[in-house]
Amino acid sequence: MADRTLRQAALRKRARLSQDQRMSDSAKIARRLMEHLREADTIALYLADENEVDLRPLLPLLWETKRIAVPVCAAKGAMCMSELTEDAPLVKNRYGIEEPATLKLLPASVFDVIVVPIVAFDANGHRLGHGMGYYDRYLVHTTACKIGVAFDCQQVAQIDARPHDVAMDLILTPSAVYDFRNPAGTR
Ligand SMILES: Nc1nc2c(c(=O)[nH]1)N(C=O)[C@@H](CNc1ccc(C(=O)N[C@@H](CCC(=O)O)C(=O)O)cc1)CN2
Ligand SMILES: Nc1ncnc2c1ncn2[C@@H]1O[C@H](COP(=O)(O)OP(=O)(O)OP(=O)(O)O)[C@@H](O)[C@H]1O
């Protein structure tokens, strides 16, 4: 199926989740994610829009011991990561997503883990984002562990791999952990 069709179907399904479901599913994903952040010092998260997996409740805990950054959209398709500190003022970008108002850029090489928002994914670890290539362009510059997060309803049968796709190391959903670092696949 065409990427655009898969993307739109997944976005529609995600938008239909109730607020309660979204919160409890996000909390399940957050619990799974914490297991993979123990060794990490510097982590890229993202600030969820109203429909995405929302990992903000983790921030107070993470700030105690870790350095956190979130994406900032630059020119078309280009993205950088800016440190997010407690009480830092936020502004909305052109997509209505919050970003730190004052930039404290961190280079891609410092991240131990990058948590990647997903629009649609398949059991082989292929993912679709919003189709702008922000993450695909960014992830080529890092050796960080790349952890995609999604609700179960965002899984589709198959996404054809494109040459510029950067594979996820893990995809976490409320009900499953897909570990692509291990060739044996899922559990
Ligand atoms: N929370 C969050 N931050 C992020 C991303 C993300 O997916 N989620 N990004 C990941 O790349 C980058 C921003 N990219 C984005 C690109 C398009 C749209 C968007 O909503 N576009 C259309 C909807 C069309 C569509 O998605 O098909 C819109 O504005 O309505 C949002 C983010 C960087 N920051
Ligand atoms: N590394 C790259 N260098 C140059 N162009 C790229 C790169 N990665 C992706 N692109 C371009 O970006 C556009 C969107 O790519 P794609 O459909 O794979 O985005 P996506 O994976 O859905 O989104 P994202 O990566 O933002 O989550 C395509 O036109 C693609 O050619």
Side-chain angles (χ1 to χ4, degrees):
M1 213 186 287
D3 287 354
R4 221 170 75 89
T5 316
L6 291 174
R7 190 178 277 124
Q8 283 171 352
L11 285 173
R12 265 201 304 275
K13 280 196 210 158
R14 189 175 72 175
R16 281 203 296 266
L17 292 175
S18 71
Q19 201 51 33
D20 282 356
Q21 183 85 58
R22 207 183 296 283
M23 269 172 57
S24 70
D25 279 1
S26 293
K28 285 183 193 158
I29 294 167
R31 274 198 293 279
R32 290 187 193 278
L33 178 63
M34 285 307 277
E35 293 169 27
H36 297 279
L37 299 183
R38 271 193 219 117
E39 314 273 294
D41 293 319
T42 305
I43 301 159
L45 281 179
Y46 62 88
L47 294 173
D49 70 16
E50 65 273 21
N51 290 342
E52 290 176 312
V53 173
D54 186 4
L55 300 169
R56 274 177 216 240
L58 286 180
L59 283 170
L61 187 62
L62 292 175
W63 273 323
E64 288 177 12
T65 53
K66 322 249 183 221
R67 184 160 58 156
I68 303 298
V70 294
V72 172
C73 294
K76 211 167 178 244
M79 174 178 103
C80 41
M81 291 290 175
S82 184
E83 190 171 353
L84 182 68
T85 51
E86 227 168 330
D87 305 323
L90 301 173
V91 287
K92 283 195 174 171
N93 67 16
R94 74 189 78 170
Y95 306 111
I97 296 170
E98 287 183 313
E99 298 181 344
T102 309
L103 295 189
K104 284 194 231 167
L105 296 185
L106 296 180
S109 57
V110 302
F111 292 101
D112 301 305
V113 172
I114 298 184
V115 179
V116 181
I118 284 179
V119 172
F121 71 98
D122 71 13
N124 297 315
H126 299 135
R127 64 171 269 283
L128 291 177
H130 284 286
M132 308 273 293
Y134 280 106
Y135 272 93
D136 284 329
R137 282 193 194 84
Y138 189 82
L139 293 174
V140 293
H141 302 295
T142 172
T143 54
C145 178
K146 295 168 272 295
I147 306 184
V149 292
F151 300 110
D152 292 300
C153 66
Q154 294 173 259
Q155 183 166 4
V156 300
Q158 198 196 323
I159 294 171
D160 296 325
R162 278 93 22 96
H164 57 257
D165 270 345
V166 177
M168 294 293 102
D169 294 302
L170 290 155
I171 292 182
L172 310 181
T173 75
S175 68
V177 175
Y178 298 88
D179 190 342
F180 306 105
R181 301 168 302 183
N182 161 15
T186 63
R187 74 171 164 90

